Amino acid sequence: MDSIFILLMVLIMIASILLVIIVMAQNPKGGGLSSTFGGASSAQFGVQRTNDFMEKATWTLGGTIIVLILLSVVITGKPSAAPVPVPASKEAPAKQSAAVPANSTAPATTPVQTPAPTK
């Protein structure tokens, strides 16, 4: 199980590096920060035209990364078959006293004596 996790992590890292390279090679369509700080420099030094291959590769690599991450969670995230033992509580049981405490609000129970019958 551990080797599958390592394989999936290596594939995710390779796909992430390829995604970064493809995104950096694309020409920004909206300008973004490059147009704010002088848009002419990006046209001179950047890629002139982004074709459909770059856009399809971006979406494919992004989807691949998501699928690999979900697959790694499903495969390696299964609970173990053995149940986890619950630790016993460390508290001692409460002591029960036979005598009623003096500051108790319960009325004291004293046996009622009945008078002896007279003849």
Side-chain angles (χ1 to χ4, degrees):
M1 190 65 87
D2 202 25
S3 61
I4 294 173
F5 180 74
I6 292 172
L7 176 68
L8 289 172
M9 289 298 114
V10 169
L11 290 174
I12 290 170
M13 285 189 266
I14 290 171
S16 299
I17 291 170
L18 288 174
L19 182 64
V20 167
I21 290 171
I22 288 178
V23 167
M24 294 298 286
Q26 291 180 5
N27 189 13
K29 295 177 183 174
L33 289 177
S34 63
S35 66
T36 305
F37 298 113
S41 65
S42 67
Q44 291 174 356
F45 300 111
V47 178
Q48 295 298 326
R49 173 180 275 181
T50 303
N51 54 10
D52 289 335
F53 171 75
M54 299 290 257
E55 186 174 350
K56 287 179 184 177
T58 302
W59 284 105
T60 303
L61 284 172
T64 302
I65 291 170
I66 291 172
V67 168
L68 286 173
I69 289 172
L70 291 175
L71 189 65
S72 69
V73 167
V74 168
I75 289 176
T76 61
K78 291 183 180 177
S80 62
V84 178
V86 178
S89 63
K90 296 180 181 180
E91 296 178 11
K95 295 181 181 178
Q96 296 179 358
S97 61
V100 177
N103 59 358
S104 173
T105 58
T109 56
T110 56
V112 176
Q113 295 183 358
T114 57
T118 56
K119 293 190 182 187

